[in-house]
Amino acid sequence: MSRAYDFKAVEKVWRPIWKKSGLYETGSDPEKALYRKAKKHYILDFFPYPSGAGLSVGHCRNYVPTCISARYMRMKGYNVLHPMGWDSFGLPAENYAIEHGVHPRITTRRHEATYRRQMELVACSYDWSREFSSTDPAYYRWTQWFFLLLYRRGLAYRAAGSQWWCPQCQTILANEQVEDGRCWRCGSQVTKKTLQQWYFKITDYADRLIADLDDVDWPESIKSMQRNWIGRSEGAEIVFRVEKPAGDGVWEIETFTTRPDTLFGVTFLALAPEHALSTEMATPERRESVVAYVNEAQRQTEIDRQSAARPKTGVFTGRYAVHPLTGERIPIWVADYVLTGYGSGAVMGVPAHDERDHAFAKRYGLPVKEVIHPAGAEEDGQIGGQIGGQTGEEGCFTGQGVMVDSGRYSGLGSKEGAARITGDLEAWGAGGPAVTYKMRDWLISRQRYWGAPIPIVHCPECGTVPVPEEELPVLLPHVEEFAPAGDGRSPLARAQEWVNTTCPECGGPAERETDTMDGFACSSWYFLRFASPHVDDAPFDPEAVDYWLPVDVYVGGAEHAVMHLLYARFWTKVMYDAGLVKFEEPFTTLRNQGVLHAADGRRMSKSRGNVITPDEVIAEHGTDALRTYVVFIGPFEANVVWDDAGIKGVTRFLDRFWTLANDVIGGDDEKNRGTTSADPAFARQMHRTIKRVTEDVEAFRFNTAVAALMEWLNGLYEAAGNNGASAGQWREAIETFCLLLAPFAPFITEEVWRHVLGHGTSVHRQSWPAYDDEVIQAAEITVAVQVNGRLRDTITVPAEIGDEELEKAALASANVQRHVDGRPIRKTIVVSQRLVNFVV
Ligand code: ANZ
Ligand code: ZN
């Protein structure tokens, strides 16, 4: 009888030994010999923000799979980089500090330590020698350096803008940080505020950010979210001219349209309330109502303004534009469904073919002029009758079709007509082809304390002056009052000693920029820093980055589809253009883990009181059981529910492995065990399991990998009963089992490897076992299955299958079932290992 498995004692033995051995440290060979030597693999988790709540078992759905994968790749002989660090600047950390009245410098360090302690507890195989925090001056010095790089390349600029403002967090938010009109962090309703802000010109990279998605192995859903977010629209710019009063020249109104083929159907123009000409061109009689409308519209959120349910409102300016092709007088309105910052902030209204324009025209009694007929409608005799709206809006056909009532373009199809009109307008100087994007530039400044200071000085003489590189970092000064005062300015503005400085250009008195950078700046390049985290004369060692990057496998939650994943791609492309890196995409493969819900089916959260911590699970069941269970619980990408019964099943599996290993290995028992000749079935099952686990781990199918091991363990117990395999085979099987299970359950496998099997070096330094396809295949045969003497199927089964098993497998065939069709089977003929015939 073997002793019971005592996970507590085993963990206590191995934790300190592993720690001392630097088992997971990738090392940095000064001669770079390492880089030339081995195939590399860089597997990275999304940069976590260590929250006050610490890790839940939900986080383990991210960190355990990447750890398993990293351990597997090490055993495969790869030089593996699997680092961890902390994204500790930013709103969440600062809000926590404000709420608890403790300085964020203290709370973030504390939370980082908690995360690290828990990750070590879970035996995550990070190379801790590369750990850093985005709040380390040695790190954010280079975040600032990148800001200056963007600035020098014309990609960082300052502009006044009406921006989202969170009254709770007291800061400006980027578009991406507003969901359904609410702040992404605190859920408060956001408003608009006009302030001087810093932007990164991500729109310059829009086309490349779309095109290069084709080259990465990412989930389709994430790719399409990015494409939609960037929102590329191809169409035309069409210019309408307006006579100024008293022959004072003309105003030009540029409109953006995706449907130049509808130009003859324009019955009004609509300007965004924010459009520069909205109030300027209003006639004296109309000006007052236009101004009132514009003021009111600016109080609305963009979400509301775009809402389809809301009635379309507007106000007439009293002016008319000239139609560029017909010379007709077109009334000009201001309407809040027209958005500023999209296209040119003005639309040509075509009520017959655009739903929004249609709703607007109906409300204000503007004419509806049909100029597109559905293709093929002629044969159906529908022309002149009611045009069936493709979108359901009565009297509004939004599809492509045939142009009518369009002068010399009548009779053309939409596509060709659009191209011709666009070409003609271009020739006449009244427009031309145009592309527009939904994405706006990335608003980077925050009026908050807890971030990397923007390395800019404002000088009354020289204007905006970048801090010289050799003066970086601009250290974040310590302030006691770190909460926003509510005046819309950063708390840094109150640190007078810090604010007042000298101008790097003229040496005169000047003031520091008091805004800090959005936390997403810090996470836009951290994956490069891990390649050489300790260099201090550059953001990274180019040779190390050449070797390690791009990240081979990047793993995190799907909620980061557009912010972080877009920003990091943008920064990488800028670095590529600057010659700093040789690749344009930072993350070759992206995988999103599913969410782990609490037993009540809801997301784990402190406020709901349903959080399960790894600490409590490990105390009760052990680290191996936790790790194995969080991957066995379901497919990697699936949302799953925690189940206490499930972890008990995994514990039983580990205990049975322990018992078997102790029973078959060691002493005279082992030498006398089994036959002298090898058992092919035994070997086949082993090779088949190696193959399954190998393929499953590579494809991130960790749950089925564990299932394969469970099946094999059952097979081994059966074999132990039959006593068919040789002693050598048994030892090989237990060793192989240890190796296959090692990435999942590092403790029990180390204990069996070292103390049961008696090896001198760690199981975690061994090579991954190889399988032999011939052993697997030679042992399989195909058997014909008949129903009433007619061939209905062939099945593949193990070579030494017994007649009873063979009959069962044959009956399970779907084709056989169809032909048996529920009738009773009168007789079954089995020709061993060759044929089965059912007589019905
Ligand atoms: C005339 C027209 C006729 C339009 C028609 C559509 C259908 P997407 O595809 O989303 O890019 N538009 C242009 N600028 C706008 C703005 N600032 N705010 C609101 N709407 C704007 O949409 C492009 C279309 O949205 C443009 O094409 C324009 O309406 C409108 F049968 O022009 B269209
Ligand atoms: Zn100056």
Side-chain angles (χ1 to χ4, degrees):
M1 268 303 288
S2 58
R3 68 209 150 94
Y5 181 59
D6 180 353
F7 70 81
K8 283 198 177 132
V10 170
E11 290 188 19
K12 209 168 154 188
V13 168
W14 293 113
R15 284 187 191 282
I17 294 177
W18 289 343
K19 201 164 183 168
K20 236 181 27 221
S21 72
L23 197 55
Y24 315 120
E25 282 171 26
T26 308
S28 46
D29 187 327
E31 301 302 320
K32 307 284 188 323
L34 182 72
Y35 297 163
R36 284 189 294 273
K37 196 174 70 190
K39 305 165 282 184
K40 68 96 183 182
H41 186 75
Y42 185 0
I43 178 163
L44 182 65
D45 301 295
F46 287 9
F47 205 27
Y49 145 67
S51 78
L55 293 179
S56 76
V57 286
H59 294 94
C60 296
R61 291 270 296 159
N62 188 165
Y63 304 134
V64 170
T66 52
C67 172
I68 291 171
S69 193
R71 287 171 181 274
Y72 164 79
M73 293 303 278
R74 286 186 198 104
M75 291 174 81
K76 284 293 267 191
Y78 283 82
N79 194 19
V80 172
L81 178 57
H82 187 44
M84 179 48 72
W86 318 114
D87 191 13
S88 290
F89 266 144
L91 271 187
E94 187 175 300
N95 286 348
Y96 179 95
I98 291 169
E99 206 178 300
H100 292 79
V102 184
H103 200 278
R105 210 179 278 277
I106 295 165
T107 54
T108 53
R109 281 290 176 269
R110 194 187 287 160
H111 299 163
E112 288 167 6
T114 303
Y115 263 49
R116 176 164 171 172
R117 182 188 60 73
Q118 287 182 298
M119 287 173 173
E120 287 187 306
L121 187 67
V122 178
C124 291
S125 60
Y126 295 120
D127 175 355
W128 289 111
S129 72
R130 289 169 192 255
E131 176 190 14
F132 61 79
S133 166
S134 62
T135 62
D136 297 341
Y139 180 77
Y140 72 71
R141 168 185 182 182
W142 301 108
T143 308
Q144 293 173 335
W145 186 86
F146 280 117
F147 178 97
L148 295 177
L149 175 78
L150 289 155
Y151 184 81
R152 278 198 309 274
R153 299 181 73 82
L155 295 168
Y157 65 94
R158 198 169 185 233
S162 165
Q163 294 299 342
W164 295 116
W165 170 261
C166 174
Q168 177 68 34
C169 298
Q170 293 280 328
T171 191
I172 289 293
L173 300 170
N175 285 316
E176 297 87 324
Q177 293 169 339
V178 177
E179 286 164 19
D180 299 330
R182 294 183 175 277
C183 170
W184 70 301
R185 277 326 303 184
C186 73
S188 312
Q189 196 108 38
V190 296
T191 58
K192 285 260 166 144
K193 194 162 184 141
T194 302
L195 289 168
Q196 282 284 327
Q197 298 290 346
W198 284 95
Y199 296 87
F200 287 150
K201 218 167 175 188
I202 189 171
T203 50
D204 269 14
Y205 284 73
D207 278 332
R208 284 162 71 185
L209 288 168
I210 291 178
D212 294 349
L213 284 173
D214 294 342
D215 304 334
V216 291
D217 171 19
W218 286 22
E220 250 339 289
S221 57
I222 302 282
K223 288 190 187 185
S224 81
M225 279 165 86
Q226 291 212 345
R227 286 191 194 101
N228 291 339
W229 181 260
I230 297 167
R232 184 181 200 275
S233 275
E234 256 181 70
E237 178 191 287
I238 298 182
V239 180
F240 290 77
R241 295 198 168 82
V242 188
E243 296 261 344
K244 285 190 183 175
D248 208 9
V250 292
W251 284 299
E252 290 199 337
I253 299 178
E254 290 166 6
T255 61
F256 172 75
T257 179
T258 46
R259 295 293 303 275
D261 55 315
T262 65
L263 181 54
F264 284 79
V266 174
T267 61
F268 66 93
L269 295 187
L271 308 181
E274 298 85 352
H275 196 285
L277 294 178
S278 288
T279 46
E280 183 184 331
M281 67 163 35
T283 57
E285 312 82 73
R286 307 286 314 161
R287 176 150 298 141
E288 203 177 312
S289 46
V290 170
V291 169
Y293 180 82
V294 166
N295 287 341
E296 175 56 30
Q298 272 164 351
R299 274 196 282 276
Q300 315 271 331
T301 72
E302 205 163 285
I303 317 278
D304 288 341
R305 282 171 53 174
Q306 278 179 292
S307 149
R310 193 165 160 275
K312 303 269 173 292
T313 65
V315 60
F316 180 44
T317 62
R319 291 281 171 219
Y320 294 85
V322 181
H323 191 288
L325 295 185
T326 67
E328 277 173 292
R329 271 160 51 96
I330 309 287
I332 303 167
W333 289 66
V334 175
D336 70 4
Y337 75 94
V338 182
L339 304 174
T340 186
Y342 185 62
S344 52
V347 304
M348 57 179 223
V350 185
H353 303 294
D354 181 272
E355 277 193 78
R356 298 158 296 182
D357 298 345
H358 189 263
F360 187 78
K362 271 203 167 161
R363 184 173 167 115
Y364 294 105
L366 295 163
V368 178
K369 189 179 168 219
E370 289 158 13
V371 292
I372 306 288
H373 278 172
E378 216 138 356
E379 295 89 273
D380 301 344
Q382 275 183 7
I383 286 228
Q386 215 224 290
I387 298 169
Q390 181 160 304
T391 57
E393 174 80 45
E394 198 191 327
C396 181
F397 171 70
T398 60
Q400 306 233 330
V402 179
M403 292 170 67
V404 296
D405 282 340
S406 296
R408 58 203 189 84
Y409 304 95
S410 297
L412 295 177
S414 285
K415 220 176 177 164
E416 207 201 328
R420 288 245 209 127
I421 286 181
T422 307
D424 290 348
L425 289 173
E426 189 170 27
W428 302 326
V435 173
T436 192
Y437 302 91
K438 292 231 157 57
M439 180 172 67
R440 317 284 169 85
D441 280 338
W442 169 15
L443 199 163
I444 183 71
S445 48
R446 296 286 176 274
Q447 292 66 52
R448 296 292 296 241
Y449 170 66
W450 196 235
I454 292 176
I456 290 285
V457 165
H458 299 289
C459 169
E461 299 301 321
C462 317
T464 304
V465 182
V467 173
E469 273 175 30
E470 57 280 7
E471 285 176 27
L472 298 181
V474 176
L475 285 172
L476 181 65
H478 182 80
V479 301
E480 281 306 323
E481 293 292 312
F482 52 83
D487 55 2
R489 301 186 67 196
S490 163
L492 284 178
R494 298 192 297 259
Q496 279 303 309
E497 253 176 65
W498 179 82
V499 170
N500 292 312
T501 181
T502 52
C503 169
E505 251 162 50
C506 70
E511 292 194 351
R512 289 194 187 280
E513 170 66 59
T514 56
D515 285 356
T516 54
M517 274 188 259
D518 181 9
F520 283 109
C522 307
S523 55
S524 289
W525 76 282
Y526 78 106
F527 43 92
L528 299 169
R529 184 71 180 169
F530 279 132
S532 48
H534 308 299
V535 302
D536 59 7
D537 57 350
F540 50 78
D541 168 2
E543 212 177 325
V545 161
D546 276 355
Y547 175 71
W548 285 114
L549 275 284
V551 173
D552 295 284
V553 180
Y554 196 33
V555 180
E559 68 274 13
H560 285 292
V562 286
M563 292 191 272
H564 161 61
L565 287 173
L566 206 52
Y567 299 154
R569 294 182 60 218
F570 162 55
W571 275 43
T572 302
K573 289 182 193 304
V574 174
M575 290 184 219
Y576 174 84
D577 292 349
L580 294 171
V581 301
K582 294 180 180 158
F583 51 91
E584 286 206 62
E585 283 296 327
F587 315 121
T588 307
T589 298
L590 175 71
R591 295 280 176 261
N592 303 124
Q593 78 276 5
V595 179
L596 174 61
H597 294 281
D600 59 11
R602 316 207 303 176
R603 248 176 206 273
M604 289 188 188
S605 87
K606 220 175 165 186
S607 57
R608 294 196 182 113
N610 59 1
V611 176
I612 301 173
T613 64
D615 310 56
E616 57 190 287
V617 175
I618 286 172
E620 195 180 341
H621 303 283
T623 303
D624 288 343
L626 169 68
R627 291 171 57 100
T628 309
Y629 180 55
V630 294
V631 296
F632 181 60
I633 190 168
F636 171 76
E637 299 83 0
N639 294 342
V640 292
V641 176
W642 182 266
D643 174 14
D644 274 328
I647 196 163
K648 283 182 194 129
V650 167
T651 306
R652 212 171 310 125
F653 159 68
L654 296 173
D655 286 347
R656 288 181 76 218
F657 168 58
W658 173 257
T659 305
L660 183 76
N662 278 280
D663 280 357
V664 301
I665 303 296
D668 291 341
D669 241 20
E670 182 184 351
K671 278 192 228 100
N672 300 331
R673 172 167 291 278
T675 56
T676 43
S677 60
D679 174 359
F682 191 92
R684 192 196 71 235
Q685 202 175 18
M686 182 175 88
H687 282 268
R688 206 187 254 159
T689 306
I690 300 173
K691 182 175 173 158
R692 279 177 66 183
V693 175
T694 304
E695 290 175 353
D696 284 351
V697 169
E698 285 194 357
F700 265 52
R701 291 188 305 256
F702 305 104
N703 59 324
T704 51
V706 174
L709 286 168
M710 288 176 166
E711 272 176 43
W712 188 28
L713 188 64
N714 288 339
L716 288 174
Y717 265 89
E718 258 176 53
N722 305 340
N723 211 14
S726 70
Q729 274 190 307
W730 271 108
R731 178 160 270 270
E732 194 188 2
I734 298 298
E735 285 188 345
T736 302
F737 204 101
C738 248
L739 295 169
L740 296 180
L741 184 62
F744 298 84
F747 290 101
I748 195 170
T749 50
E750 183 79 316
E751 183 67 15
V752 170
W753 187 259
R754 302 288 294 275
H755 291 156
V756 179
L757 291 162
H759 290 290
T761 50
S762 170
V763 70
H764 303 299
R765 293 201 193 273
Q766 307 306 314
S767 296
W768 188 253
Y771 58 86
D772 185 343
D773 255 327
E774 269 174 30
V775 176
I776 298 170
Q777 269 152 27
E780 284 181 339
I781 50 171
T782 44
V783 174
V785 186
Q786 302 175 336
V787 177
N788 288 344
R790 313 239 336 237
L791 182 68
R792 295 302 185 192
D793 204 357
T794 55
I795 55 172
T796 305
V797 291
E800 61 290 331
I801 193 165
D803 289 356
E804 234 173 84
E805 286 295 310
L806 181 59
E807 186 184 330
K808 257 195 235 159
L811 196 58
S813 145
N815 268 342
V816 170
Q817 282 300 322
R818 218 182 39 252
H819 287 98
V820 170
D821 199 19
R823 289 170 292 181
I825 291 164
R826 283 198 287 123
K827 202 167 137 198
T828 306
I829 301 147
V830 180
V831 181
S832 286
Q833 295 171 0
R834 312 214 32 183
L835 176 136
V836 181
N837 183 17
F838 297 105
V839 182
V840 295

